[in-house]
Amino acid sequence: MRILILGASGLVGGNCLKYFKTKEELEVVGTYFSYKTEDTVKFNTLDLNDPENYDVDSFKPDVVVHCGALTWVDYCEDNKEESWQKTVKSTQNALKIALRHDARFVYISSDYVFDGTGGPYTEDNEENPVSVYGKHKLEAEENVLQSGLDFLILRITNVFGDEARGKNFVARMIKNVQKGEEMTLNLPFDQYATPVNAADVARAMYLLLRDEKMGIYNIASTDYMNRVQLATHILKYFPNHKVKIRSLSTREINPPAPRPLVGGLITAKFLSEYPNFHFTNVDDYVRKKAGDFE
């Protein structure tokens, strides 16, 4: 099986590329858009005719995994056109590649397609995004649904794990704590989600592709917590930390983009099909990182 991963220098794409390369039956190519890593090749998903693009047609993918998007929620709110280009337009172009090769298509979505008034959510709950980012993720989903291709839409949220730039909240916080610097974090106590390790997303995606599954799947771990609780989970592994947490409401923080407060995802569908799948959690990840640091 030949798998093309668009956006493979990011958190989810990078973990998929790393994991898929351990499978002998897979031939994998990972691309980057703006940030190059050692094992990725360039592909501009906003311009399929860019002369510097990797020749995806010669690769002839059986599966196209689209991990690229603009994920900075507050920036998206103030930069609607760029958000649309990097989330919706890039998906439309990725679908064109898949359609040329009659390839299966995998799209990475988010619990931000919901309004956060009644989470955690199943795949069947009604979407109602409240932010520009969420609206564009849902619009991209709809493009996938209308494509006529065999598809997987994997909804995830609060993704953490190893990545080249260490941009995710958990990785950033661990890195900052290890520096031993004093800091104060203003964190919302009323935003709930289901953090998931990107390595688990990759493992779950592999099983779904291997077994030729189709449709929408929530991929989430066993944790359900707010940002204050998440930070506290991390800090307990670093008893000498110099971090203070200010627990605030989202209204007090007043971010540019509205947030789904009671968000998160329920994985009953995926686990009913893969009952022996073991999701790791935040403690598993941070415990290992704290041990490595010591």
Side-chain angles (χ1 to χ4, degrees):
M1 185 190 304
R2 292 183 300 276
I3 300 180
L4 175 68
I5 303 175
L6 302 172
S9 64
L11 176 56
V12 175
N15 276 269
C16 288
L17 181 61
K18 179 180 178 180
Y19 185 69
F20 289 0
K21 282 191 169 184
T22 68
K23 302 299 179 181
E24 293 183 357
E25 75 275 20
L26 301 183
E27 186 178 349
V28 190
V29 169
T31 76
Y32 73 93
F33 175 73
S34 58
Y35 180 77
K36 178 178 173 56
T37 54
E38 184 178 348
D39 50 358
T40 56
V41 294
K42 183 172 182 178
F43 193 86
N44 181 357
T45 50
L46 300 185
D47 182 3
L48 297 182
N49 297 314
D50 187 327
E52 296 184 5
N53 280 349
Y54 170 77
D55 187 359
V56 295
D57 290 330
S58 66
F59 180 61
K60 299 179 181 178
D62 301 304
V63 178
V64 175
V65 179
H66 184 36
C67 299
L70 184 57
T71 58
W72 186 359
V73 176
D74 287 335
Y75 182 86
C76 290
E77 200 70 18
D78 296 328
N79 297 272
K80 295 181 177 62
E81 178 59 25
E82 184 178 352
S83 173
W84 187 87
Q85 288 285 333
K86 291 184 176 178
T87 296
V88 182
K89 182 64 176 179
S90 70
T91 302
Q92 293 173 346
N93 284 341
L95 284 166
K96 290 178 182 178
I97 297 169
L99 284 163
R100 282 206 302 266
H101 298 280
D102 194 26
R104 281 187 285 167
F105 194 84
V106 183
Y107 180 66
I108 305 299
S109 192
S110 166
D111 71 336
Y112 273 57
V113 300
F114 300 109
D115 58 20
T117 60
Y121 293 94
T122 69
E123 293 84 354
D124 297 325
N125 287 128
E126 184 176 358
E127 301 90 352
N128 184 35
V130 294
S131 65
V132 168
Y133 170 78
K135 290 173 183 176
H136 288 162
K137 294 300 283 188
L138 182 59
E139 185 177 347
E141 278 193 15
E142 290 167 346
N143 276 266
V144 176
L145 292 171
Q146 296 163 8
S147 69
L149 291 167
D150 290 349
F151 71 90
L152 284 169
I153 292 173
L154 305 187
R155 288 176 177 159
I156 57 179
T157 188
N158 276 206
V159 191
F160 63 89
D162 296 337
E163 65 173 322
R165 285 174 286 183
K167 293 197 308 178
N168 63 88
F169 177 82
V170 174
R172 277 204 324 270
M173 189 166 177
I174 292 172
K175 184 176 181 180
N176 288 335
V177 169
Q178 289 174 342
K179 291 179 180 177
E181 299 174 355
E182 294 185 4
M183 67 181 76
T184 299
L185 300 176
N186 297 325
L187 298 175
F189 62 77
D190 54 355
Q191 291 180 28
Y192 285 83
T194 45
V196 64
N197 193 324
D200 290 346
V201 177
R203 293 192 299 119
M205 186 191 301
Y206 168 74
L207 294 176
L208 293 166
L209 287 172
R210 182 197 66 184
D211 298 340
E212 299 185 355
K213 301 287 188 176
M214 280 185 58
I216 300 174
Y217 284 84
N218 291 343
I219 305 296
S221 184
T222 54
D223 291 320
Y224 188 67
M225 60 180 73
N226 63 42
R227 281 292 171 122
V228 173
Q229 293 169 326
L230 177 56
T232 303
H233 267 270
I234 296 169
L235 292 176
K236 71 182 180 183
Y237 291 97
F238 302 93
N240 298 319
H241 72 82
K242 300 178 182 179
V243 179
K244 295 180 181 179
I245 297 175
R246 292 185 66 216
S247 180
L248 302 171
S249 69
T250 299
R251 179 174 292 182
E252 289 174 301
I253 296 172
N254 193 28
R259 298 299 202 273
L261 299 185
V262 187
L265 300 163
I266 295 173
T267 57
K269 177 181 177 180
F270 176 81
L271 289 175
S272 70
E273 298 177 22
Y274 298 96
N276 296 320
F277 188 92
H278 173 71
F279 281 102
T280 61
N281 58 29
V282 172
D283 284 283
D284 294 328
Y285 181 75
V286 182
R287 187 184 301 115
K288 181 180 184 303
K289 291 299 177 183
D292 292 343
F293 178 61
E294 293 172 354

